[in-house]
Amino acid sequence: GDSVTQMEGPVTLSEEAFLTINCTYTATGYPSLFWYVQYPGEGLQLLLKATKADDKGSNKGFEATYRKETTSFHLEKGSVQVSDSAVYFCALKVYNQGGKLIFGQGTELSVKP
Amino acid sequence: KAGVTQTPRYLIKTRGQQVTLSCSPISGHRSVSWYQQTPGQGLQFLFEYFSETQRNKGNFPGRFSGRQFSNSRSEMNVSTLELGDSALYLCASSAGTEDEKLFFGSGTQLSVL
């Protein structure tokens, strides 16, 4: 079945360090791919998305490129801030599945000043 | 524009009881999806309602049910509660079309004792 695998956390970085969170997927057909972020005590917020191969999603300095050949959608940021501390979820949506998202396990990021 | 509102924020129940959770979507949104979030299983899709009809369903037992009203507000019900039902229950709303983003509420934290 369809699934998403993320690198395990927690990930601890110093401020201004480079961030990569790996995400790979298995899906029938051509899914849309997403990164969501969850701050403590809150719901999920969409960070970025890509709907087809080679698309690059970007937002707030975060980027991810839809790589069909490696079935990956790795999240990157060049210089993290303390305010980026949160849990990050990679997710996919198969076409015509409405509001059904399949999530990875989440990666907790902690950024130290 | 008000966001997705979930009530109550916290609930404590005992095994065998039943519980009803409520979700008010963003005005104009016709789709409401429900997710269960636990430390062990992560985020799992429960079901989606669109225009008062269940459009999609995850892999949960029949004790989990839902409905949607004509104003798009949705409720989910869990009967005969088990300890393993303790979780954060998130709902998400969208316009319901293929590429519309999901907006998540802050969730209801259910504890079953």
Side-chain angles (χ1 to χ4, degrees):
Chain A
D2 303 327
S3 66
V4 175
T5 302
Q6 283 180 241
M7 64 185 282
E8 290 192 19
V11 173
T12 302
L13 295 173
S14 298
E15 208 166 20
E16 299 184 4
F18 184 84
L19 168 71
T20 300
I21 300 178
N22 290 338
C23 170
T24 57
Y25 67 90
T26 302
T28 51
Y30 302 101
S32 295
L33 300 174
F34 306 83
W35 277 100
Y36 280 83
V37 59
Q38 187 175 33
Y39 297 100
E42 298 184 14
L44 279 73
Q45 299 174 29
L46 178 64
L47 184 58
L48 52 85
K49 72 174 189 179
T51 57
K52 61 183 188 299
D54 299 326
D55 266 3
K56 178 187 278 190
S58 61
N59 186 25
K60 299 181 182 178
F62 291 90
E63 292 183 340
T65 301
Y66 189 142
R67 300 283 187 205
K68 185 164 167 277
E69 63 276 11
T70 54
T71 61
S72 65
F73 193 55
H74 304 321
L75 181 69
E76 295 182 336
K77 187 176 185 184
S79 176
V80 293
Q81 306 300 312
V82 172
S83 58
D84 293 327
S85 298
V87 181
Y88 293 80
F89 292 92
C90 185
L92 70 82
K93 185 165 87 75
V94 176
Y95 180 77
N96 212 26
Q97 288 291 299
K100 180 180 179 180
L101 290 168
I102 295 169
F103 286 92
Q105 283 294 102
T107 302
E108 182 180 358
L109 170 66
S110 177
V111 181
K112 306 296 185 189
Chain B
K1 206 173 187 182
V4 179
T5 303
Q6 290 189 246
T7 56
R9 187 72 179 91
Y10 300 94
L11 262 180
I12 300 175
K13 293 286 187 180
T14 56
R15 276 181 300 173
Q17 288 187 310
Q18 67 99 25
V19 68
T20 299
L21 313 182
S22 179
C23 174
S24 293
I26 290 173
S27 177
H29 284 185
R30 295 164 65 190
S31 167
V32 174
S33 302
W34 288 90
Y35 289 81
Q36 181 195 64
Q37 185 176 19
T38 60
Q41 298 298 315
L43 278 153
Q44 294 186 286
F45 173 78
L46 281 153
F47 32 66
E48 180 197 8
Y49 285 85
F50 180 79
S51 293
E52 301 179 64
T53 301
Q54 188 178 86
R55 182 159 79 167
N56 216 333
K57 190 176 187 306
N59 213 17
F60 279 79
R63 300 185 297 106
F64 292 81
S65 62
R67 60 178 175 167
Q68 187 179 33
F69 302 95
S70 58
N71 62 358
S72 293
R73 189 177 72 85
S74 177
E75 290 181 346
M76 68 163 278
N77 184 278
V78 188
S79 61
T80 320
L81 283 165
E82 300 177 0
L83 295 179
D85 297 333
S86 295
L88 180 66
Y89 290 89
L90 294 166
C91 84
S93 79
S94 77
T97 55
E98 186 59 36
D99 284 329
E100 279 295 321
K101 64 186 273 189
L102 270 64
F103 293 82
F104 282 81
S106 297
T108 294
Q109 183 68 54
L110 171 65
S111 298
V112 182
L113 306 178

